[in-house]
Amino acid sequence: MVVAVVKCKDYSSVGKMLPKALSLIGGMGKYVKKGQRVLVKPNLLLGKLPEDAATTHPEILRAVLVELKKIGASVIVGDSPGMGNFDGIAKKTGLKKVCDEFKVEIVELKERVDVERKQNKLVKLFTISKLANDVDVIINLPKMKTHTLTHFTGAVKNIFGCIPGKLKPQFHLRQQDAHTFSRMLVDLNKVVVPSLHIMDAVVGMEGQGPSSGSPREVGLLIVGENPYEVDSVACSVAGIDKAPYLDIARKQKLLGKVVVKGEKLDSVKLSRKFLPARSSFDRIPKWIMKMFKGLFTAKPWLLPEKCIHCARCFEVCPVDAIKMVDGYPQFDYNKCIRCYCCHEMCPVKAIGLKDSFLLKIFKK
Ligand code: SF4
Ligand code: SF4
């Protein structure tokens, strides 16, 4: 399939550049017909400002809503953040304002439905958002970011937001290492299948993504039908050479040779690669990991001067490895399964990651 890559130097250019990108893959009309119910699924991970680069930028949503309005689709915008007040998150990220301008509803994906897919390799039954299951079309608006567990998060990982909020940590409990978690993601992407993926790669996030990293200008829109192809192009641009779920997708023949239209891929590859977010070695057998996880993984680490005592880390931890002592989290590293949900959900970057001795050497 084709992936469109177009330059988009800043967010004021998205309205002009998105139609160009869409025209390279057949136009929005190829994916959405008049009157169809469309769920637009941005990345609303947590309540951050657009310039923090943790969430989909409102100008991306605006440009998509303009295109959908031209077609006459019935649009709803929705996501399920891991934690926090949805309305507050929608406001802070700037997406609520854009939805209000277009008189489009923005909703938390709370209502659930069980969907079975017997052919799946690992997870055959998912509880997903009912809305995501019911609409005619889903348009995915991922953000280009590094990720502590899966190395990269883009189109494929953004679909994890279609799992209603509090159910997400359970997946981390069941699929603890990066490889198994990635197998689950590949299965999930067979159950929730957007028609189109429009990646916000104007400004991405590098380093300790998906929420505690640093904004990084990339200046691109990456658009396609196949989430693995979109992510694989984004990884090439960012110089991320390995994301476990892309390897799995290749093995399952979900990712093959990618045809890029628009910019030549070599011409848009960044000269300085994204700083990685890698926090563990891949494919370490479970029993070794259990016994020696301190050697192979980074551990969550409190930066007390930043902590605002909100206890979100405590609430999100799937294995009760955190207790709050005098308003600060205290980690039990024996219990900790290194899912990094606490790091991801901390609103003020007060949880860092401390590399193990081996990881430090490996990264060097
Ligand atoms: S302490 Fe943090 S990294 Fe460890 S299991 Fe809990 S949420 Fe995951
Ligand atoms: S570390 Fe972060 S998430 Fe945990 S209590 Fe402090 S501010 Fe809240």
Side-chain angles (χ1 to χ4, degrees):
M1 278 184 226
V2 176
V3 174
V5 178
V6 298
K7 284 192 179 158
C8 184
K9 65 177 175 15
D10 54 40
Y11 285 106
S12 65
S13 313
V14 179
K16 200 168 106 204
M17 299 318 292
L18 182 66
K20 191 175 167 193
L22 289 170
S23 71
L24 295 170
I25 55 167
M28 186 65 99
K30 183 176 162 193
Y31 304 96
V32 182
K33 306 287 175 238
K34 187 176 177 181
Q36 278 189 316
R37 284 185 79 207
V38 180
L39 170 67
V40 176
K41 161 68 181 81
N43 182 327
L44 271 174
L45 176 66
L46 73 176
K48 294 262 184 179
L49 295 167
E51 53 271 30
D52 291 328
T55 50
T56 305
H57 197 280
E59 290 307 316
I60 301 281
L61 177 64
R62 182 192 303 281
V64 170
L65 293 183
V66 167
E67 294 304 309
L68 290 172
K69 201 175 168 187
K70 281 185 207 162
I71 288 174
S74 164
V75 183
I76 190 158
V77 176
D79 194 7
S80 171
M83 298 217 79
N85 173 280
F86 181 80
D87 293 338
I89 293 172
K91 267 189 200 142
K92 189 153 186 187
T93 52
L95 298 196
K96 171 90 172 75
K97 189 165 175 269
V98 174
C99 287
D100 288 348
E101 280 172 35
F102 284 80
K103 297 191 175 33
V104 163
E105 212 185 337
I106 180 163
V107 297
E108 183 173 8
L109 303 179
K110 277 199 285 203
E111 242 190 295
R112 306 166 178 192
V113 65
D114 287 343
V115 179
E116 196 175 8
R117 193 176 185 280
K118 288 198 174 120
Q119 311 91 300
N120 273 2
K121 308 270 183 205
L122 181 69
V123 182
K124 297 180 194 299
L125 180 75
F126 280 99
T127 302
I128 62 164
S129 147
K130 186 168 181 315
L131 184 64
N133 192 55
D134 288 352
V135 290
D136 301 312
V137 179
I138 301 174
I139 298 183
N140 187 19
L141 307 185
K143 184 88 176 167
M144 178 184 188
K145 295 186 289 182
T146 46
H147 194 279
T148 40
L149 188 64
T150 54
H151 305 193
F152 182 75
T153 167
V156 173
K157 176 76 173 48
N158 200 38
I159 296 307
F160 196 48
C162 291
I163 304 268
K166 296 264 157 65
L167 296 178
K168 290 187 197 75
Q170 293 177 15
F171 284 91
H172 287 285
L173 187 59
R174 286 189 225 117
Q175 285 91 35
Q176 295 188 4
D177 62 284
H179 182 75
T180 318
F181 191 80
S182 298
R183 285 181 66 202
M184 179 279 293
L185 282 181
V186 171
D187 280 348
L188 175 63
N189 273 264
K190 292 170 187 164
V191 170
V192 183
V193 186
S195 304
L196 189 60
H197 307 268
I198 299 172
M199 182 180 282
D200 174 0
V202 181
V203 179
M205 178 179 276
E206 65 175 350
Q208 296 210 328
S211 61
S212 298
S214 310
R216 175 78 190 275
E217 278 181 30
V218 180
L220 295 176
L221 294 174
I222 304 173
V223 182
E225 287 175 36
N226 177 322
Y228 305 103
E229 292 185 355
V230 168
D231 284 4
S232 112
V233 167
C235 283
S236 299
V237 170
I240 294 171
D241 54 6
K242 207 169 158 45
Y245 65 84
L246 292 181
D247 296 341
I248 294 163
R250 254 179 227 108
K251 279 193 193 130
Q252 293 187 18
K253 304 206 179 334
L254 301 166
L255 171 62
K257 196 173 159 24
V258 186
V259 178
V260 175
K261 278 196 179 173
E263 299 298 327
K264 285 208 168 65
L265 191 50
D266 280 339
S267 73
V268 290
K269 284 185 183 172
L270 298 172
S271 52
R272 180 181 69 72
K273 294 177 180 181
F274 265 33
L275 293 170
R278 195 173 182 146
S279 55
S280 64
F281 291 91
D282 298 325
R283 310 301 306 264
I284 305 274
K286 251 190 191 160
W287 66 272
I288 297 188
M289 196 62 140
K290 255 193 179 155
M291 285 179 75
F292 303 110
K293 66 183 165 198
L295 277 177
F296 297 112
T297 58
K299 60 183 175 189
W301 192 257
L302 180 69
L303 306 165
E305 66 286 359
K306 293 187 178 174
C307 180
I308 55 167
H309 320 294
C310 68
R312 277 194 194 178
C313 50
F314 165 76
E315 284 169 39
V316 80
C317 179
V319 291
D320 297 329
I322 297 176
K323 65 178 178 188
M324 296 301 288
V325 178
D326 298 330
Y328 294 96
Q330 207 173 70
F331 301 96
D332 179 339
Y333 292 119
N334 289 323
K335 277 190 182 173
C336 171
I337 57 171
R338 309 309 201 248
C339 67
Y340 308 115
C341 292
C342 52
H343 171 262
E344 194 170 321
M345 284 299 135
C346 175
V348 290
K349 302 186 182 182
I351 297 180
L353 296 180
K354 202 171 209 183
D355 284 345
S356 68
F357 173 68
L358 277 181
L359 255 179
K360 266 188 207 152
I361 295 177
F362 178 77
K363 280 188 179 174
K364 268 182 195 161

